C-alpha cells in the first residue's frame, strides 16, 4: 500500500484531499500520512463510526434513514461532506461492514463496503462497491485501502 505516487500527483496538480472513514478506522489517512509530503495535500480526516458523527460532519440524516448507513448513498454524502468541510479538492467516503454485524444498524450485507471519491471541481462521484472476503479485519481493511489507491490513481492520472 503506497500513497507516494498519489501524494506526488496531488502536489503536481496542486490539489488536496480529505477523508471520512468508517469501517476502515482511519486506515486510508494513516497510509497517506505515512508518506512524505502528506501535510501539503491532506487537509482533514474524520473517523465517523457512529451515525451521530456522520450527521454532525454533514451527512444527511434523511439519507441514512432512507438508504441506511451502509449504502452507496451514504458513502456519496460522506465524500461530498468531507470535501466541503475541509475545503479540499477531493473527498473520500468509506462505509460498510467488514465481516461483522452491527447491532445498531442491522440492515445491509455484513461483507460489503461502499467507496466514493468526490471531485469538487468536476462535481463528479467515483464509486465502487467492494465485497470483502478476507478472514480478518486487517486484511479486509488492506483490500479497501488498495482499492482506494487504484481509484485515486485512475482519477489523478
Amino acid at each position: 500500500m503506497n500513497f507516494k505516487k498519489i501524494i506526488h500527483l496531488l502536489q503536481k496538480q496542486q490539489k488536496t484531499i480529505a477523508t471520512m472513514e468508517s469501517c476502515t478506522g482511519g486506515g486510508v489517512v494513516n497510509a497517506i500520512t505515512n508518506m512524505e509530503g502528506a501535510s501539503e495535500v491532506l487537509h482533514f480526516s474524520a473517523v465517523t463510526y457512529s451515525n451521530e458523527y456522520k450527521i454532525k460532519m454533514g451527512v444527511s440524516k434523511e439519507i441514512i434513514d432512507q438508504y441506511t448507513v451502509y449504502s452507496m448513498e451514504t458513502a456519496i454524502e460522506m465524500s461530498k461532506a468531507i470535501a466541503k468541510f475541509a475545503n479540499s479538492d477531493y473527498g473520500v467516503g468509506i462505509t460498510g461492514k467488514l465481516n461483522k454485524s452491527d447491532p445498531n444498524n442491522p440492515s445491509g450485507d455484513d461483507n460489503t463496503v461502499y467507496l466514493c471519491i468526490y471531485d469538487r471541481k468536476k462535481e463528479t462521484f467515483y464509486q465502487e462497491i467492494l465485497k470483502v472476503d478476507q478472514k480478518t479485519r486487517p486484511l479486509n481493511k488492506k483490500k479497501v485501502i488498495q482499492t482506494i489507491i487504484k481509484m485515486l490513481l485512475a482519477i489523478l492520472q
Side-chain angles (χ1 to χ4, degrees):
M1 294 185 291
N2 191 332
F3 274 88
K4 188 174 185 174
K5 186 169 187 176
I6 291 166
I7 289 172
H8 172 73
L9 290 168
L10 287 167
Q11 288 170 325
K12 186 176 173 183
Q13 297 171 28
Q14 297 182 336
K15 302 284 185 172
T16 58
I17 192 167
T19 68
M20 188 184 306
E21 302 178 61
S22 186
C23 59
T24 48
V28 171
V29 76
N30 181 61
I32 291 170
T33 60
N34 282 339
M35 299 293 124
E36 282 190 37
S39 62
E40 296 172 39
V41 299
L42 178 68
H43 271 187
F44 184 80
S45 180
V47 177
T48 55
Y49 255 52
S50 70
N51 295 3
E52 174 187 1
Y53 280 88
K54 285 177 182 67
I55 294 165
K56 284 184 179 190
M57 289 301 304
V59 175
S60 165
K61 181 183 183 316
E62 291 76 22
I63 291 290
I64 292 173
D65 289 347
Q66 182 175 355
Y67 297 101
T68 82
V69 70
Y70 303 119
S71 64
M72 183 54 72
E73 291 80 3
T74 297
I76 288 168
E77 285 277 308
M78 290 169 73
S79 67
K80 189 172 184 178
I82 199 66
K84 181 180 176 184
F85 180 87
N87 193 30
S88 288
D89 298 294
Y90 297 99
V92 177
I94 304 169
T95 186
K97 298 183 193 179
L98 300 177
N99 295 350
K100 181 162 178 12
S101 62
D102 177 355
N104 295 318
N105 297 288
S107 60
D109 183 4
D110 291 346
N111 304 306
T112 303
V113 178
Y114 302 90
L115 314 171
C116 185
I117 299 171
Y118 176 61
D119 181 330
R120 258 181 63 185
K121 185 175 182 181
K122 293 181 182 177
E123 294 186 16
T124 302
F125 297 94
Y126 302 90
Q127 307 164 40
E128 184 144 346
I129 298 172
L130 185 64
K131 292 292 183 183
V132 288
D133 53 7
Q134 304 300 310
K135 292 184 180 187
T136 67
R137 279 183 78 78
L139 288 175
N140 281 318
K141 284 182 180 185
K142 184 176 180 179
K143 184 175 181 178
V144 173
I145 295 164
Q146 288 172 334
T147 303
I148 289 290
I149 290 170
K150 288 177 192 170
M151 290 173 73
L152 283 167
L153 286 173
I155 293 165
L156 294 169
Q157 291 183 332

